[in-house]
Amino acid sequence: MIYLNDDIAGFDLERALPLLSDQRREQALKFRYELGRKTSAMAYLLLCEGLRQEYGITERPLFEYGEHGKPSIVGHPEIHFNLSHCREAVVCAVSDRPVGVDVECFREYKESLVRYTMNDEEVERIVHAERPEEEFIRLWTMKEAKVKLTGQGISDDMKRVLDGRETFRTVVNEKKGYVYSAIYEKNV
């Protein structure tokens, strides 16, 4: 299940801090800027909401980290989740199988970045799209969601991440200026 909050401006960080685990509060407060602190807290609270709704879990989750830094919930290896945030939205995916999710804001289209991260077919799709910046971000969120699914993270060769057999849930919010994509293990 996907949980999303795109009201970052309306989020009350001071009110939220006591709702976080000590571990997450410490992580959130390490961010230099308020936006980072807010989105970190928001992502955790979305996870808490998902755990409550999907599994009836009301205690504050603690994280442990895999070889490549992918978090899991201490004591609940059967529950998979993934978090992502940008300056416009925070998203959390909760599932009984591995999941990857990414959210990104629209940004200026830079041909050098497109050519560095996209294969020839993807470049063609972007170049010929009605809104190239939106198509680039849509494809980028798909790539990042897939590498987050595996826990390996972004590699030097993002051109080969997608093979065309994947199935994503992708949502474009033009009004607020962001895109998110999610992928679940059975779709890889």
Side-chain angles (χ1 to χ4, degrees), residues 38-63:
K38 278 185 167 186
T39 56
S40 178
M42 291 171 75
Y44 183 84
L45 293 176
L46 285 176
L47 174 61
C48 290
E49 179 183 338
L51 294 174
R52 187 174 50 256
Q53 288 188 20
E54 304 297 318
Y55 297 96
I57 296 172
T58 57
E59 67 264 10
R60 297 173 187 157
L62 295 177
F63 301 149

Side-chain angles (χ1 to χ4, degrees), residues 72-90:
S72 59
I73 300 169
V74 173
H76 291 284
E78 76 284 5
I79 300 174
H80 301 271
F81 73 97
N82 205 232
L83 308 171
S84 185
H85 49 82
C86 65
R87 69 178 182 275
E88 299 296 338
V90 178

Side-chain angles (χ1 to χ4, degrees), residues 22-39:
D22 291 342
Q23 178 192 48
R24 189 58 175 204
R25 185 178 317 107
E26 184 180 314
Q27 287 176 326
L29 293 174
K30 284 182 181 178
F31 283 90
R32 184 175 179 179
Y33 298 104
E34 183 180 31
L35 178 62
R37 293 190 293 271
K38 278 185 167 186
T39 56

Side-chain angles (χ1 to χ4, degrees), residues 123-151:
V123 169
E124 286 301 308
R125 286 172 57 183
I126 293 166
V127 169
H128 293 99
E130 184 176 322
R131 298 181 68 185
E133 69 284 352
E134 184 178 303
E135 183 65 10
F136 170 70
I137 295 300
R138 191 180 69 74
L139 286 166
W140 178 259
T141 62
M142 293 165 65
K143 288 176 182 248
E144 193 163 338
K146 186 170 177 188
V147 298
K148 288 175 73 179
L149 167 77
T150 64

Side-chain angles (χ1 to χ4, degrees), residues 86 102-109 113-114 118 126 131-144 170-172 177-181:
C86 65
D102 186 48
V103 62
E104 300 287 341
C105 299
F106 295 152
R107 61 183 82 143
E108 183 182 343
Y109 174 82
L113 182 60
V114 169
M118 302 292 159
I126 293 166
R131 298 181 68 185
E133 69 284 352
E134 184 178 303
E135 183 65 10
F136 170 70
I137 295 300
R138 191 180 69 74
L139 286 166
W140 178 259
T141 62
M142 293 165 65
K143 288 176 182 248
E144 193 163 338
T170 299
V171 174
V172 177
Y178 65 84
V179 177
Y180 76 82
S181 293

Side-chain angles (χ1 to χ4, degrees), residues 111-124:
E111 187 175 344
S112 61
L113 182 60
V114 169
R115 296 207 180 275
Y116 182 72
T117 59
M118 302 292 159
N119 64 40
D120 291 342
E121 181 183 314
E122 293 162 346
V123 169
E124 286 301 308

